[in-house]
Amino acid sequence: LFPFFRHAIAAVRRAALQTLLTFAEMPNGDAAWVDAACLRLVYQNVVLEVQDDISELSARLWLALLRLLSRGGVAADGLLAGPDVAAMFQLAATPIGVRLPLGLFYNIPSTGFVRHNVDAAMMQQDLGLIPRESVIRARVLAAAALGQLLAAWPLSARAATFVGLLAQAMQSGWALQCQLASIATEEFVMAERTQLIETGTPVGNPMSGGAVPLTSDLLAPLLEALTAVLNVSDPELRDLDRALAQVRADCNVLLDSAVAESCLTATQAQELLPAAGGFSMAAATHICGPAFDAFATRASGDARVMLGERRLRVTSSMDYHARLRQQLNVSTAASVASAIVAIGQLPSKLNAVLRSLMTAVKQEHSLLLQTRAANAVARMAAL
C-alpha cells in the first residue's frame, strides 16, 4: 500500500488514493480492511505530500476512513492507542525546517524512500526545494486530521487520550505546537457539530455552535489553556531559538573581527557577548549600536568598512528574527482565537480574539492560514 502512496509518479499516488477513497465511500462498504497500519500510513501521506491536490485527496481519504469505521461500529481506539496519537502529533509538530524524525513514522519500507526518494526534500525539510506554503498546508491538514480523529474517538476515552496532549502543546512555548493543537481543537468541534447535524440532533446555528452539547471535561481545560495563551501579548517562543543563535553567531564574528583589528580586547569582547543561554536581542542591539559606534572609531579605513559589513550581517539576522517573531505571533494568536470561536464560549472582552483574527486576515503570509482566520471571523459574527 505505502509504496503506491509514495510513488515517484504523482499520477500513481493520486490513483492509489482515489481507489481507496472509492472503497471507503461505498454506502454499504465493509470496514474490515481498515486497520492501524492503514490509518497511520494515510496520515503520513498527509504529512509528506507536497502537491496540493494529492494532499487534499489524502485528507479526504482520512476523513472517509473515519466515517467508514463509525458506520461499521469500529472504535478508533481499538486501532490506535494513546502513544500512536502522541507520535502522530509529534510528527506534525516537528519544527519547520528540521528533519522529520524517522522514529515517529510507522513501518517505513526502505523502498519507499531509497528507490523512489520522492519524499527526500520533505523529510529533510529543505525549504530551498519545497515551498514553505506546502509544508504549512501539510501540517495544518495533519492537525485537522487529528481533530477529526478526536471526534471519532469513544466519548469516554477522549479526555484521557487528548486533553493532556493538546493542553501541553498549547503551553509548550513552541508556536507551531500551540498552533497545531488549536487547529486540532477547532476541527474537533467542527467535526462534532457535523456529526450531530447528520444524526438530527438540534444544534441551533451551525455557524455559531451555540447549542452543541460538547463534553465539558474535554473542552473546559482546552478552553482554559487557549485563553491563557491568548492573554500573553508577546510570548517567548522556542521556535526562535535557531534564529537567535544565528544572531549571536554573527555578533561573535563581528566582535572577533574587532579584536583582530585591535579595536577591542578579548576581555571586552567577552563582556559584550553573553553566553548562549543569556543572549538576547537587547544584547545584539547594544553590540550593533552604542558598542559598535565606540569601537569602530578605532579602526582604520579598510577595517572600518569590513566591520560595517559584519554589522550589516548582524542587522540582517536581527531583521529576520523580528519578522519571524511577528509571523509566528500572528499565526499562533489567530489559530488560538479560531479555536475559541469554534468552541462558542467567547470571553467577556472580545478585543484579544477579534484583534488576533483581523491581524491574521490583514498580515498573514500563508493563504491557507489567512483563509482560516477569515472563516473564523465569519463564525464569530454569527455568535
Side-chain angles (χ1 to χ4, degrees):
L1 180 63
F2 186 75
F4 289 103
F5 275 1
R6 308 310 313 146
H7 198 278
I9 301 175
V12 174
R13 301 201 301 274
R14 191 179 296 109
L17 292 168
Q18 189 62 59
T19 300
L20 288 182
L21 184 61
T22 300
F23 283 114
E25 292 181 340
M26 292 178 63
N28 299 318
D30 186 0
W33 59 276
V34 182
D35 56 9
C38 180
L39 291 175
R40 291 289 299 270
L41 294 177
V42 171
Y43 179 82
Q44 289 170 194
N45 213 56
V46 173
V47 175
L48 292 173
E49 185 55 57
V50 175
Q51 295 200 24
D52 291 349
D53 63 326
I54 302 180
S55 183
E56 295 285 352
L57 192 59
S58 300
R60 281 183 56 197
L61 175 58
W62 170 266
L63 184 57
L65 291 175
L66 294 181
R67 290 178 173 174
L68 177 61
L69 291 174
S70 178
R71 291 198 305 268
V74 180
D77 65 341
L79 300 178
L80 297 174
D84 297 324
V85 176
M88 293 162 70
F89 181 81
Q90 291 170 17
L91 179 61
T94 301
I96 294 176
V98 175
R99 192 181 194 280
L100 297 177
L102 286 175
L104 296 178
F105 282 85
Y106 178 85
N107 191 27
I108 301 177
S110 59
T111 56
F113 294 95
V114 176
R115 185 178 62 186
H116 301 308
N117 206 29
V118 65
D119 296 316
M122 184 63 93
M123 290 291 296
Q124 294 290 342
Q125 291 287 282
D126 189 342
L127 300 181
L129 297 177
I130 51 177
R132 187 179 184 88
E133 181 71 12
S134 296
V135 178
I136 293 175
R137 173 178 292 275
R139 304 301 181 87
V140 169
L141 290 178
L146 288 177
Q148 294 158 0
L149 177 63
L150 172 54
W153 211 257
L155 189 63
S156 60
R158 286 178 178 176
T161 305
F162 287 89
V163 166
L165 176 67
L166 297 179
Q168 182 178 1
M170 293 172 187
Q171 301 167 347
S172 65
W174 287 93
L176 181 61
Q177 289 191 25
C178 180
Q179 183 180 353
L180 297 184
S182 302
I183 291 173
T185 302
E186 178 186 1
E187 292 294 333
F188 157 67
V189 176
M190 303 298 288
E192 182 85 344
R193 182 173 297 117
T194 300
Q195 291 177 7
L196 292 172
I197 292 174
E198 290 176 349
T199 58
T201 304
V203 296
N205 186 351
M207 288 287 289
S208 68
V212 180
L214 300 173
T215 52
S216 59
D217 62 332
L218 176 66
L219 286 182
L222 294 181
L223 181 60
E224 181 180 353
L226 290 166
T227 304
V229 171
L230 199 62
N231 288 336
V232 179
S233 59
D234 191 18
E236 292 296 326
L237 302 175
R238 297 172 64 184
D239 310 65
L240 296 170
D241 287 350
R242 288 196 301 162
L244 185 62
Q246 183 60 54
V247 174
R248 186 182 184 279
D250 291 338
C251 286
N252 190 37
V253 171
L254 171 61
L255 295 176
D256 284 347
S257 299
V259 172
E261 296 297 331
S262 301
C263 299
L264 289 173
T265 66
T267 301
Q268 290 173 326
Q270 292 175 358
E271 292 174 350
L272 286 172
L273 188 66
F279 183 79
S280 66
M281 292 299 291
T285 301
H286 177 70
I287 291 172
C288 286
F292 180 87
D293 294 338
F295 67 70
T297 57
R298 307 170 194 144
S300 62
D302 291 341
R304 188 175 301 177
V305 172
M306 180 270 294
L307 291 176
E309 293 174 349
R310 297 286 192 272
R311 180 173 71 163
L312 184 61
R313 183 172 180 177
V314 175
T315 56
S316 177
S317 298
M318 292 172 64
D319 288 343
Y320 172 75
H321 181 278
R323 291 195 307 271
L324 181 59
R325 186 185 195 95
Q326 174 67 13
Q327 181 181 348
L328 291 173
N329 283 336
V330 169
S331 300
T332 304
S335 298
V336 170
S338 297
I340 293 175
V341 170
I343 293 173
Q345 300 181 26
L346 296 180
S348 56
K349 296 182 179 180
L350 300 178
N351 288 349
V353 175
L354 184 58
R355 181 177 61 250
S356 298
L357 294 175
M358 293 307 300
T359 300
V361 170
K362 292 183 288 186
Q363 299 181 9
E364 177 58 60
H365 294 171
S366 167
L367 179 60
L368 175 61
L369 297 179
Q370 184 184 50
T371 302
R372 291 182 66 89
N375 290 338
V377 172
R379 290 197 301 270
M380 183 176 177
L383 286 175

